[in-house]
Amino acid sequence: MDTKKLGFNSKLIHAGHFKDEFLSATVPIYQTSTFSFKSAKHGADCFSGEDDGYIYTRIGNPTINALEQNIAELENGFGGIGTASGMGAVTTIYIALLKQGDHIVSSDAVYGPARVAMETIFAGYGVESTYVNTSNIEEVKAAIRPNTKVIYVETPANPTIGITDLKAVSKIAKENDCIFVVDNTFCSPYLQKPLDLGADISFHSLTKFINGHADIVGGMIVCKEEKLYKQVRSAMVTMGPNMDPHQAFLVIRGVKTLAIRIDRAQENAMKIAKYLENHPKIAWIKYPGLKSHPQHELAKEQMSGFGTMISFGVKGGAEAGSKLMDNVHLATLAVSLGGVETLIQHPASMTHAKVSKENKIKAGITDDLVRYSAGIEDLEDLINDLKHALDKV
Ligand code: LCS
């Protein structure tokens, strides 16, 4: 069946899936490190590329491959590359695209370790980086240097929920011969398709929305074109941050309900955002679905829904925010996001703790910022949970 012609929900359930010799209804777990060859010649042909048989799980595996094809189809890309974690995807992209003397321009509000890896480990290998507010296109233009090879954007950004205009950045990338990379974790391909908006690579921490059940970590890189796909795949296979077949199996199960999970969670998020916006103890709130979000119109244009991530500050600053986090009982006080369960956390001291104070302030990661990932629990229970916690502040 040509799943490319199917609708999004049908693709979630069928794209990339194959029938094994027993015609099993779901993709089986091929929990093997290696695959046997029919003959010495067959083995040599597999290595030379004459034959597309499986060789070794770091290089390729049917269960992992099914997930890679599934996500690549959801993103309208050429191919997917599964990784052990979202950070495995980030560092594979850095390794594949940047060498000594190259320069990257990146969103200043990115997942903390993506910036820390660049400014510590990759800087040590001679890669230069500039972190700017990519929501302001002029800042992106001004940061480009003759040696800029990659523009890297996270939208909506973690944890500021700033939105970057992907079409506008794609134009800058093309004019300057740069590869344009988008971290699509906060949206998933259900809400945003960066490759359709001009990106060369869209990648994910699968740990979040795509798996959706807080029981694995994983990453996926999707490339728009074959040449880039081969370059990134070769880096992954050589360096070794590959996915595991069992992990792939769980994500294949999780992704099937991506759209219905997000539909419900973002309905909750919208109502919770409105509740918080009108609460007298809330100092400020950022949610793309609210008219008060500075890029609300852009979010409407490039996303097909506003997502489930909300950032806000409680009047009384960081101390008041801590009080709120200590007093929620239904929302779990934990990092991560995008699962069926509601999570709450404090980025400045948790996910972004290792980003320098100065860089945090510049990026808008203030001490009072509380990040909320709405889950699919009953709305009334979630609102009561917040009400109870805010009463304690
Ligand atoms: N990209 C984004 C936007 C993320 O939020 C994360 C993890 C990663 C990449 C890395 O993925 P991982 O290796 O964890 O699968 N974000 C986390 C967060 O905000 N809380 O805990 C992890």
Side-chain angles (χ1 to χ4, degrees), residues 49-341:
E50 284 282 302
D51 190 293
D52 61 4
Y54 287 103
I55 298 172
Y56 187 66
T57 281
R58 174 163 46 75
I59 302 171
N61 173 290
T63 316
I64 300 169
N65 193 237
L67 178 65
E68 290 172 334
Q69 283 188 35
N70 182 278
I71 309 292
E73 258 187 58
L74 299 176
E75 287 272 4
N76 296 329
F78 172 81
I81 301 152
T83 53
S85 65
M87 279 312 297
V90 172
T91 53
T92 297
I93 289 166
Y94 290 166
I95 286 167
L97 305 184
L98 294 158
K99 58 181 190 324
Q100 187 178 25
D102 288 345
H103 174 245
I104 180 173
V105 174
S106 178
S107 304
D108 55 7
V110 280
Y111 176 55
R115 180 167 187 169
V116 172
M118 179 51 65
E119 290 187 329
T120 56
I121 300 167
F122 287 85
Y125 298 143
V127 178
E128 299 167 12
S129 57
T130 308
Y131 284 82
V132 296
N133 174 9
T134 51
S135 297
N136 180 346
I137 291 302
E138 295 311 313
E139 284 196 33
V140 180
K141 278 187 196 158
I144 302 285
R145 299 180 192 165
N147 59 339
T148 306
K149 293 284 158 47
V150 175
I151 306 180
Y152 179 111
V153 163
E154 207 179 279
T155 182
N158 186 359
T160 58
I161 322 291
I163 312 273
T164 295
D165 185 337
L166 293 178
K167 275 191 192 159
V169 174
S170 145
K171 192 162 171 274
I172 299 170
K174 285 197 174 71
E175 284 165 2
N176 292 281
D177 220 5
C178 296
I179 292 176
F180 180 25
V181 177
V182 176
D183 184 334
N184 200 23
T185 299
F186 266 42
C187 276
S188 91
Y190 182 49
L191 299 184
Q192 180 169 271
K193 293 193 179 56
L195 302 183
D196 291 354
L197 299 170
D200 301 295
I201 291 180
S202 173
F203 80 91
H204 296 273
S205 165
L206 299 174
T207 318
K208 315 293 166 11
F209 293 96
I210 291 182
N211 181 58
H213 294 76
D215 50 12
I216 60 102
V217 291
M220 184 65 69
I221 305 163
V222 180
C223 301
K224 192 174 170 89
E225 305 290 350
E226 183 174 8
K227 187 166 167 254
L228 191 57
Y229 165 80
K230 284 188 168 159
Q231 182 182 338
V232 178
R233 178 144 210 116
S234 164
M236 189 285 287
V237 165
T238 309
M239 301 297 292
N242 58 282
M243 181 172 274
D244 171 84
H246 186 250
Q247 182 188 12
F249 168 82
L250 287 171
V251 183
I252 288 169
R253 187 168 68 165
V255 76
K256 289 177 188 178
T257 53
L258 178 71
I260 56 173
R261 280 188 279 110
I262 290 189
D263 280 345
R264 176 165 168 94
Q266 71 182 358
E267 209 180 301
N268 279 348
M270 187 75 216
K271 290 183 179 145
I272 289 164
K274 282 186 177 155
Y275 169 78
L276 290 173
E277 191 172 42
N278 291 316
H279 197 289
K281 288 189 181 170
I282 297 297
W284 59 269
I285 175 161
K286 283 271 284 294
Y287 178 67
L290 294 177
K291 289 204 176 74
S292 58
H293 190 292
Q295 293 106 20
H296 172 65
E297 290 304 321
L298 174 60
K300 268 209 286 200
E301 228 173 87
Q302 76 179 17
M303 294 158 66
S304 60
F306 298 117
T308 75
M309 300 302 296
I310 304 169
S311 284
F312 61 92
V314 183
K315 284 181 188 161
E319 211 179 305
S322 291
K323 195 96 196 210
L324 170 101
M325 287 183 278
D326 286 342
N327 283 286
V328 286
H329 300 308
L330 184 58
T332 303
L333 179 55
V335 297
S336 204
L337 58 108
V340 289
E341 58 288 296

